[in-house]
Amino acid sequence: MFHFAIGEEFASKWQFLPYIERGITQFARIDVCNVGGITEAMKVAAMAEAHYIDLMPHNPLGPICTAATLHVAAASPNFSWLEEMNTHVENPGLDNWNYYPFSQKLTAHVIN
């Protein structure tokens, strides 16, 4: 069986509705920053939960979107997976292009 996930580019709960009602998808790919924020994402999560569909949020936009998505995930009983980006902002020791640590060490400077 193949699992079908949909919704990465949807901009409102109304775009999710036909797929959820017809049971076409097994995962709702909510992008909190694209769908209209935390409130709209929670509405999609509730619709999905009512139809036994899990959440697998799409999260490509950085640390602010990650924080908002984590809030939705923590408040949703049907949360399943979280996509996360390993960028130099979210993980300073990781190079996003090849996933190898930077050769330079990050050092903390003490201010007197």
Side-chain angles (χ1 to χ4, degrees):
M1 179 172 132
F2 294 98
H3 295 286
F4 192 58
I6 195 161
E8 292 179 1
E9 297 179 0
F10 290 174
S12 76
K13 62 183 174 280
W14 304 116
Q15 288 181 292
F16 279 94
L17 190 60
Y19 298 97
I20 290 173
E21 285 183 335
R22 294 182 184 124
I24 295 172
T25 185
Q26 286 77 38
F27 294 100
R29 295 279 289 163
I30 301 170
D31 186 332
V32 175
C33 295
N34 195 32
V35 79
I38 292 175
T39 301
E40 193 79 357
M42 289 303 297
K43 291 176 183 179
V44 174
M47 287 191 301
E49 181 187 7
H51 290 84
Y52 304 101
I53 294 171
D54 288 336
L55 298 182
M56 187 168 52
H58 181 58
N59 182 34
L61 299 176
I64 303 297
C65 187
T66 299
T69 303
L70 284 172
H71 279 80
V72 170
S76 302
N78 55 331
F79 172 73
S80 181
W81 295 90
L82 176 64
E83 175 185 23
E84 56 94 22
M85 294 284 295
N86 284 319
T87 65
H88 68 281
V89 174
E90 292 173 339
N91 190 351
L94 192 63
D95 181 0
N96 194 35
W97 297 106
N98 57 20
Y99 293 100
Y100 292 109
F102 288 125
S103 60
Q104 296 176 339
K105 301 281 185 186
L106 297 175
T107 59
H109 297 282
V110 179
I111 300 173
N112 292 335

